PDB file of all heavy atoms in Angstrom:
ATOM      1  N   LEU A1693      33.746 130.313 -52.368  1.00 87.00           N
ATOM      2  CA  LEU A1693      33.645 128.909 -51.974  1.00 87.00           C
ATOM      3  C   LEU A1693      33.064 128.775 -50.571  1.00 87.00           C
ATOM      4  O   LEU A1693      32.249 127.886 -50.298  1.00 87.00           O
ATOM      5  CB  LEU A1693      35.018 128.236 -52.025  1.00 87.00           C
ATOM      6  CG  LEU A1693      35.578 127.901 -53.412  1.00 87.00           C
ATOM      7  CD1 LEU A1693      37.017 127.404 -53.292  1.00 87.00           C
ATOM      8  CD2 LEU A1693      34.722 126.841 -54.102  1.00 87.00           C
ATOM      9  N   THR A1694      33.473 129.670 -49.683  1.00 87.00           N
ATOM     10  CA  THR A1694      32.959 129.624 -48.312  1.00 87.00           C
ATOM     11  C   THR A1694      31.463 129.890 -48.289  1.00 87.00           C
ATOM     12  O   THR A1694      30.705 129.215 -47.579  1.00 87.00           O
ATOM     13  CB  THR A1694      33.694 130.663 -47.439  1.00 87.00           C
ATOM     14  OG1 THR A1694      35.102 130.439 -47.532  1.00 87.00           O
ATOM     15  CG2 THR A1694      33.268 130.546 -45.986  1.00 87.00           C
ATOM     16  N   LEU A1695      31.025 130.864 -49.085  1.00 81.00           N
ATOM     17  CA  LEU A1695      29.597 131.145 -49.188  1.00 81.00           C
ATOM     18  C   LEU A1695      28.855 129.942 -49.764  1.00 81.00           C
ATOM     19  O   LEU A1695      27.784 129.554 -49.286  1.00 81.00           O
ATOM     20  CB  LEU A1695      29.368 132.375 -50.068  1.00 81.00           C
ATOM     21  CG  LEU A1695      27.903 132.717 -50.384  1.00 81.00           C
ATOM     22  CD1 LEU A1695      27.132 133.015 -49.106  1.00 81.00           C
ATOM     23  CD2 LEU A1695      27.828 133.891 -51.356  1.00 81.00           C
ATOM     24  N   ARG A1696      29.453 129.323 -50.772  1.00 79.00           N
ATOM     25  CA  ARG A1696      28.828 128.167 -51.410  1.00 79.00           C
ATOM     26  C   ARG A1696      28.742 126.987 -50.442  1.00 79.00           C
ATOM     27  O   ARG A1696      27.779 126.229 -50.456  1.00 79.00           O
ATOM     28  CB  ARG A1696      29.623 127.787 -52.663  1.00 79.00           C
ATOM     29  CG  ARG A1696      28.802 127.027 -53.695  1.00 79.00           C
ATOM     30  CD  ARG A1696      29.575 126.903 -54.984  1.00 79.00           C
ATOM     31  NE  ARG A1696      29.852 128.203 -55.560  1.00 79.00           N
ATOM     32  CZ  ARG A1696      30.834 128.454 -56.408  1.00 79.00           C
ATOM     33  NH1 ARG A1696      31.651 127.476 -56.764  1.00 79.00           N
ATOM     34  NH2 ARG A1696      31.015 129.658 -56.907  1.00 79.00           N
ATOM     35  N   LEU A1697      29.752 126.835 -49.612  1.00 84.00           N
ATOM     36  CA  LEU A1697      29.738 125.753 -48.622  1.00 84.00           C
ATOM     37  C   LEU A1697      28.592 125.960 -47.627  1.00 84.00           C
ATOM     38  O   LEU A1697      27.886 125.014 -47.279  1.00 84.00           O
ATOM     39  CB  LEU A1697      31.077 125.683 -47.891  1.00 84.00           C
ATOM     40  CG  LEU A1697      31.201 124.647 -46.770  1.00 84.00           C
ATOM     41  CD1 LEU A1697      30.930 123.241 -47.304  1.00 84.00           C
ATOM     42  CD2 LEU A1697      32.582 124.716 -46.124  1.00 84.00           C
ATOM     43  N   ARG A1698      28.416 127.200 -47.178  1.00 79.00           N
ATOM     44  CA  ARG A1698      27.307 127.465 -46.254  1.00 79.00           C
ATOM     45  C   ARG A1698      25.978 127.186 -46.934  1.00 79.00           C
ATOM     46  O   ARG A1698      25.073 126.589 -46.322  1.00 79.00           O
ATOM     47  CB  ARG A1698      27.367 128.912 -45.764  1.00 79.00           C
ATOM     48  CG  ARG A1698      26.159 129.304 -44.909  1.00 79.00           C
ATOM     49  CD  ARG A1698      26.388 130.555 -44.107  1.00 79.00           C
ATOM     50  NE  ARG A1698      27.348 130.350 -43.041  1.00 79.00           N
ATOM     51  CZ  ARG A1698      27.067 129.731 -41.898  1.00 79.00           C
ATOM     52  NH1 ARG A1698      25.851 129.235 -41.678  1.00 79.00           N
ATOM     53  NH2 ARG A1698      27.987 129.582 -40.974  1.00 79.00           N
ATOM     54  N   GLN A1699      25.837 127.594 -48.183  1.00 69.00           N
ATOM     55  CA  GLN A1699      24.586 127.338 -48.900  1.00 69.00           C
ATOM     56  C   GLN A1699      24.318 125.847 -49.014  1.00 69.00           C
ATOM     57  O   GLN A1699      23.189 125.383 -48.807  1.00 69.00           O
ATOM     58  CB  GLN A1699      24.640 127.971 -50.292  1.00 69.00           C
ATOM     59  CG  GLN A1699      24.594 129.491 -50.280  1.00 69.00           C
ATOM     60  CD  GLN A1699      24.812 130.087 -51.656  1.00 69.00           C
ATOM     61  OE1 GLN A1699      25.394 129.443 -52.543  1.00 69.00           O
ATOM     62  NE2 GLN A1699      24.353 131.303 -51.855  1.00 69.00           N
ATOM     63  N   ALA A1700      25.370 125.079 -49.340  1.00 71.00           N
ATOM     64  CA  ALA A1700      25.208 123.627 -49.491  1.00 71.00           C
ATOM     65  C   ALA A1700      24.799 122.979 -48.183  1.00 71.00           C
ATOM     66  O   ALA A1700      23.917 122.111 -48.143  1.00 71.00           O
ATOM     67  CB  ALA A1700      26.507 123.006 -50.003  1.00 71.00           C
ATOM     68  N   MET A1701      25.415 123.409 -47.076  1.00 75.00           N
ATOM     69  CA  MET A1701      25.090 122.818 -45.778  1.00 75.00           C
ATOM     70  C   MET A1701      23.709 123.245 -45.305  1.00 75.00           C
ATOM     71  O   MET A1701      22.933 122.433 -44.800  1.00 75.00           O
ATOM     72  CB  MET A1701      26.156 123.197 -44.752  1.00 75.00           C
ATOM     73  CG  MET A1701      27.506 122.537 -45.003  1.00 75.00           C
ATOM     74  SD  MET A1701      28.799 123.065 -43.848  1.00 75.00           S
ATOM     75  CE  MET A1701      28.136 122.462 -42.286  1.00 75.00           C
TER      76      MET A1701
END
Side-chain angles (χ1 to χ4, degrees):
L1693 285 173
T1694 305
L1695 174 61
R1696 204 170 298 157
L1697 177 58
R1698 174 163 290 283
Q1699 290 173 338
M1701 291 176 64

